[in-house]
Amino acid sequence: MKQDLAEVPPLHSEVSRKQTEAELLPREFARELGQVAVLLDIDGTLLDLAPTPREVWVPPGLAKTLNQLLEKTSGALALVSGRSLNDIDLIFAPDQFPAVGGHGAEMRLATDSEAVATEAPPMDKELKRRLAAIAKLSPGILLEDKGYSLALHYRLAPHAEKAIYEAVSLIRADLPNAPIEVMPGKCVCEIKHSGFNKASGVTELMAHDPFKGRRPIFIGDDVTDESVFAIMPHLGGLAFSVGRRAKGVAGHFDEPRDVRDWLAQLIESAPGRR
């Protein structure tokens, strides 16, 4: 379902071409929190990357900031991640947030609503088995089964990067009709079904209340976030990248800590704060 741009109200103060960096004063966005939807990637954006996916941690104060933004936006805040919703909930426990999980395979529209699948097809079991065997190429390659996708992490075995991608290519060559997509990331090779991605998940999210009719602000860091960067203009939104100046974004942050600080400043600059 496509977002009707006519329903998206213009921001009171548009970001000018000369004022497109993420260092914009938070008050420029804070006074518009009633009109925007805040969409945030997790790993490498909100949270610092760790040697393994299980070692990430939520810094003190972040959950409070997210809950305050959730309140200020009347529920229009969502986490957008390749992680499953169950994994997201474990990381932020006991807090729970609206989210798009599994690279768009599932979503939750509100903190008190049930998770729903987005009709994303699961990965073929035999294909997943063959891909999982790649983890045996070298000690230090960590296999993560996300249900709708499979990730091979090699942060602990950087020398194995080439071998991993060559093995994936051989499997794809052997199964040329398999509808899969390979997503390179930061020391990770992730494979999923090609019928969905973060952009399709965000598009669906923006078609439902309380996100419908709002202008999205998306912050992400990785290659998997580029599909969302690309659709922000069509949704009347803005995108910011982390750690690099990605194509098509309005600005960038140097590291996750800067994102967390900026979000906290949004709360401090919001109308009614003393």
Side-chain angles (χ1 to χ4, degrees):
M1 191 180 299
K2 293 184 178 180
Q3 177 71 17
D4 183 359
L5 292 183
E7 297 177 4
V8 180
L11 290 177
H12 177 70
S13 54
E14 291 285 354
V15 179
S16 71
R17 292 182 179 179
K18 293 182 180 180
Q19 261 190 322
T20 56
E21 284 303 297
E23 292 82 358
L24 266 172
L25 292 177
R27 67 171 178 268
E28 296 295 325
F29 291 98
R31 62 190 179 192
E32 310 294 349
L33 287 178
Q35 299 181 42
V36 303
V38 181
L39 312 178
L40 305 164
D41 173 53
I42 298 176
D43 295 271
T45 297
L46 278 179
L47 306 183
D48 297 293
L49 295 173
T52 70
R54 298 299 176 191
E55 292 182 73
V56 299
W57 67 290
V58 179
L62 176 57
K64 180 180 178 181
T65 296
L66 294 177
N67 278 304
Q68 289 176 324
L69 280 173
L70 192 65
E71 179 182 356
K72 291 291 183 181
T73 58
S74 299
L77 173 140
L79 305 178
V80 181
S81 177
R83 292 179 182 266
S84 67
L85 291 184
N86 183 64
D87 202 16
I88 293 171
D89 290 346
L90 288 175
I91 292 172
F92 288 93
D95 295 285
Q96 195 173 79
F97 301 100
V100 173
H103 293 289
E106 51 185 355
M107 73 173 60
R108 180 173 55 229
L109 296 172
T111 57
D112 58 353
S113 67
E114 293 293 327
V116 295
T118 59
E119 300 182 2
M123 184 178 289
D124 179 78
K125 291 183 179 179
E126 176 61 19
L127 174 60
K128 185 180 287 188
R129 185 191 66 79
R130 291 184 63 177
L131 291 168
I134 296 174
K136 298 178 181 179
L137 286 175
S138 175
I141 300 176
L142 302 180
L143 176 67
E144 183 183 13
D145 185 351
K146 300 182 179 182
Y148 290 92
S149 68
L150 200 72
L152 295 158
H153 298 269
Y154 52 89
R155 189 172 297 275
L156 300 179
H159 61 277
E161 178 179 10
K162 183 178 179 181
I164 290 171
Y165 281 98
E166 287 178 346
V168 172
S169 295
L170 287 174
I171 293 174
R172 295 189 72 183
D174 192 35
L175 301 169
N177 296 321
I180 59 174
E181 178 184 357
V182 179
M183 302 178 295
K186 295 176 179 177
C187 293
V188 61
C189 174
E190 189 161 358
I191 306 97
K192 69 169 185 62
H193 196 285
S194 59
F196 60 92
N197 57 23
K198 286 185 178 181
S200 64
V202 166
T203 299
E204 180 66 22
L205 180 80
M206 295 301 299
H208 299 278
D209 292 329
F211 302 91
K212 186 177 182 180
R214 288 173 174 257
R215 173 163 294 190
I217 296 174
F218 175 70
I219 308 177
D221 75 303
D222 214 339
V223 173
T224 62
D225 298 311
E226 291 179 356
S227 65
V228 186
F229 295 158
I231 65 169
M232 282 297 105
H234 303 292
L235 295 175
L238 292 172
F240 296 96
S241 59
V242 182
R244 63 192 177 99
R245 293 177 181 271
K247 181 180 179 180
V249 299
H252 84 290
F253 297 90
D254 288 332
E255 55 186 338
R257 178 178 59 184
D258 299 321
V259 177
R260 297 191 294 266
D261 290 345
W262 192 78
L263 294 175
Q265 289 175 51
L266 279 183
I267 298 298
E268 291 302 316
S269 302
R273 296 286 297 185
R274 295 174 180 235

